[in-house]
Amino acid sequence: MKKLIIGNWKMNPTSLAEAKKIYTGVKTKVSGLRNVSVAICPPTVYLGVFSATSKGKTSLMLGAQDTHWQESGASTGNISPLMLKDLKTSYVLVGHSERRATGETDEQVKLKIKAIQEYKMTSVLCVGEKERDESGHYLAVIKRQIEDGLEGLPKKAAEKLVIAYEPVWAIGKEAKGVETPEGFNHNMIFIRKTLSYIFGQKEALKIPILYGGSVSSKNADSFLREGRADGLLVGRDSLTASSFVEIIKIANQIK
């Protein structure tokens, strides 16, 4: 399985010129890499621009940061999965902690994943706890997010599914601590076991599980090798082309 590296730009950058600069800086450096798959999730306003420049096959795929579950209708400000499909979007983030913080529910996550599956795109289901307790009660939060988000999906849905584990307490400037590769691996095993109950062991083993949480070129190798992550969901460092490319090249060296 190739390592999967996804860059989540969030609400950055604030100009199209800067967005093009970052996108081009990454695209020109990943074309010859064979052991890694790469996607960028820019703000939706830039997706159409990048889609128009991606003629033919490209090593840099596009992802969206969110979607609505309806393909059209009276839903001001939302983006439909049909629009994303038309823009050659390969991946769609769902249930990111920042979306959950604004009130997104597991039920809405489930509806979004079903819609993404319908249009043959890959869902990147983000899960993770706000607090880490030594007794392990936080695992129930992860289990609920996975089970409720994937409820009712057929086994074949596993082919178009990625799980991104992001411990909320370890993200951003207000992080309360740092996750370790060993800690991630422990939780990855738990996530894989939960997925096996839903899809069966054979299908669950094929679902990539990424680590996301203040990922940088300094810790990427340890999470991929020691943590045995199937890939990484990169935030801040995906906004600097050189830093993101360095992470991608680290992943490409791991077979």
Side-chain angles (χ1 to χ4, degrees):
M1 182 189 295
K2 288 184 178 181
K3 298 299 183 184
L4 173 61
I5 308 298
I6 299 178
N8 177 16
W9 288 5
K10 305 187 180 183
M11 200 166 64
N12 305 289
T14 53
S15 74
L16 178 57
E18 183 63 20
K20 286 181 177 179
K21 182 179 178 181
I22 301 169
Y23 179 78
T24 302
V26 175
K27 186 178 180 181
T28 56
K29 298 292 184 180
V30 302
S31 59
L33 304 182
R34 299 181 178 275
N35 300 320
V36 64
S37 296
V38 185
I40 285 179
C41 299
T44 307
V45 291
Y46 302 142
L47 268 177
V49 177
F50 296 157
S51 177
T53 63
S54 300
K55 297 179 180 179
K57 291 185 177 181
T58 176
S59 299
L60 184 57
M61 294 175 284
L62 291 175
Q65 296 178 19
D66 190 32
T67 185
H68 197 272
W69 53 87
Q70 295 177 324
E71 69 174 34
S72 63
S75 187
T76 302
N78 281 308
I79 305 298
S80 87
L82 185 56
M83 294 173 186
L84 296 179
K85 183 67 176 179
D86 189 55
L87 292 175
K88 305 174 186 176
T89 305
S90 299
Y91 294 91
V92 184
L93 303 183
V94 187
H96 192 279
S97 61
E98 292 164 2
R99 300 296 306 173
R100 293 181 189 271
T102 64
E104 183 167 274
T105 65
D106 289 325
E107 176 66 22
Q108 291 172 326
V109 169
K110 179 178 70 175
L111 292 172
K112 290 179 180 184
I113 290 177
K114 287 183 177 180
I116 294 164
Q117 290 273 337
E118 181 179 347
Y119 291 102
K120 313 297 183 191
M121 295 179 289
T122 298
S123 305
V124 182
L125 173 58
C126 301
V127 300
E129 75 281 4
K130 293 181 181 179
E131 303 285 345
R132 173 72 60 84
D133 61 282
E134 294 182 1
S135 57
H137 292 303
Y138 72 92
L139 293 172
V141 174
I142 300 171
K143 185 172 185 287
R144 188 205 74 235
Q145 289 174 339
I146 294 172
E147 291 180 339
D148 290 358
L150 302 178
E151 183 185 5
L153 289 180
K155 281 191 175 183
K156 65 178 182 179
E159 299 174 4
K160 289 287 187 178
L161 178 66
V162 173
I163 303 294
Y165 171 66
E166 292 190 300
V168 182
W169 53 268
I171 299 175
K173 296 179 180 179
E174 299 181 1
K176 299 178 182 178
V178 179
E179 178 63 292
T180 65
E182 294 78 13
F184 165 74
N185 186 258
H186 170 79
N187 291 318
M188 183 181 71
I189 293 171
F190 176 80
I191 290 170
R192 189 82 68 190
K193 185 176 181 180
T194 303
L195 291 170
S196 69
Y197 289 140
I198 299 171
F199 297 111
Q201 186 175 18
K202 183 179 179 181
E203 286 77 10
L205 288 172
K206 298 177 183 178
I207 299 173
I209 300 177
L210 316 184
Y211 174 69
S214 300
V215 175
S216 69
S217 57
K218 295 180 179 179
N219 61 22
D221 186 79
S222 59
F223 276 106
L224 292 170
R225 292 185 188 273
E226 299 166 30
R228 303 181 68 82
D230 296 316
L232 302 167
L233 178 58
V234 186
R236 181 180 60 254
D237 273 30
S238 67
L239 285 164
T240 303
S242 58
S243 297
F244 192 48
V245 168
E246 187 175 354
I247 292 171
I248 294 167
K249 288 184 175 179
I250 289 171
N252 187 62
Q253 294 172 357
I254 302 174
K255 299 181 180 180

